[in-house]
C-alpha cells in the first residue's frame, strides 16, 4: 500500500495515498476567531473555502512551526456515514510517498487517539497510519462542515 509519510514533531505518520488530492505549499490562512485550537484557519482554494486542521495541535502538541517545508495536505475527508469534504491538513514536514507492506502492519494499541491506526516499521523507524475518517471529533466535524445555510446562521 502506498502512503504519504509526514511528520508530527519527530514522529512519522502516513495517510493512504488514495485519500490525498494534493500536497500544497504553506499559504496564508484566514483565522477563525473562537475556533478550537486544532483549526489552523481557512484556505482559499480556487475560490472555495477549505478548513485546515493543524495536525500537531489535533494530536495534542504545540502548533506546527511554519517553515519552508511545512505543507498542507489536501485530502478527501469522509466522516462515518457522511458526505465527502475537502479538508486541509497542516503537516510540519512531508517526507514523501512510501510503500508499506499491509502484512507487516501491527495494531498500535493506542485507544486514547482513535484516529491513530496500525504501525509499520522500516529502516528509518516506525510509521503510524492515520485513520482519516476518525481524525475529527464529532463536535469539530459539525462545526467545520455545517450545511451551507446553517453556516451563515440561516436555517436551511
Amino acid at each position: 500500500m502506498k502512503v504519504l509519510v509526514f511528520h508530527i514533531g519527530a514522529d512519522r505518520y502516513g495517510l493512504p495515498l488514495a485519500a490525498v488530492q494534493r500536497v500544497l505549499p504553506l499559504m496564508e490562512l484566514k483565522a477563525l476567531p473562537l475556533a478550537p485550537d486544532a483549526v489552523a484557519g481557512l484556505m482559499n482554494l480556487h475560490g472555495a473555502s477549505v478548513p485546515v486542521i493543524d495536525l500537531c495541535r489535533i494530536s495534542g502538541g504545540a502548533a506546527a512551526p511554519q517553515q519552508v517545508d511545512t505543507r498542507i495536505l489536501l485530502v478527501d475527508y469522509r466522516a462515518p456515514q457522511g458526505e465527502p469534504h475537502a479538508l486541509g491538513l497542516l503537516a510540519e514536514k512531508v517526507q514523501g510517498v512510501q510503500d508499506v507492506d499491509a502484512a507487516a502492519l501491527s495494531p498500535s494499541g493506542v485507544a486514547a487517539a482513535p484516529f491513530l491506526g496500525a504501525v509499520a516499521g522500516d529502516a528509518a523507524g516506525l510509521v503510524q497510519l492515520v485513520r482519516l475518517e476518525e481524525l475529527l471529533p464529532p463536535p469539530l466535524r459539525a462545526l467545520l462542515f455545517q450545511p451551507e445555510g446553517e453556516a451563515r446562521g440561516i436555517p436551511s
Side-chain angles (χ1 to χ4, degrees):
M1 148 183 21
K2 291 201 180 289
V3 298
L4 182 68
V5 177
F6 59 91
H7 287 253
I8 298 176
D11 297 322
R12 295 184 314 148
Y13 295 87
L15 278 172
L17 193 57
V20 179
Q21 290 180 14
R22 287 190 263 177
V23 177
L24 303 167
L26 183 61
M27 62 180 75
E28 188 174 338
L29 301 175
K30 183 201 177 304
L32 294 173
L34 304 176
D37 284 343
V39 179
L42 290 175
M43 72 174 167
N44 179 349
L45 186 66
H46 309 295
S49 295
V50 176
V52 177
I53 299 298
D54 185 330
L55 289 167
C56 292
R57 281 285 177 100
I58 204 159
S59 64
Q66 297 191 3
Q67 304 174 36
V68 173
D69 55 355
T70 303
R71 297 288 182 260
I72 297 175
L73 312 178
L74 184 64
V75 298
D76 289 320
Y77 174 78
R78 183 185 297 265
Q81 294 90 36
E83 294 293 316
H85 297 279
L87 179 67
L89 304 176
L90 190 63
E92 194 171 330
K93 177 182 172 186
V94 174
Q95 186 174 335
V97 176
Q98 179 176 323
D99 280 316
V100 171
D101 181 5
L105 291 171
S106 60
S108 69
V110 178
F115 62 89
L116 294 179
V119 178
D122 62 17
L126 295 175
V127 174
Q128 186 160 26
L129 298 183
V130 172
R131 296 173 3 149
L132 190 56
E133 68 281 0
E134 300 293 334
L135 182 64
L136 302 179
L140 182 55
R141 186 171 55 235
L143 177 72
L144 294 177
F145 302 120
Q146 299 174 11
E148 196 165 316
E150 289 179 28
R152 291 187 286 268
I154 303 166
S156 48

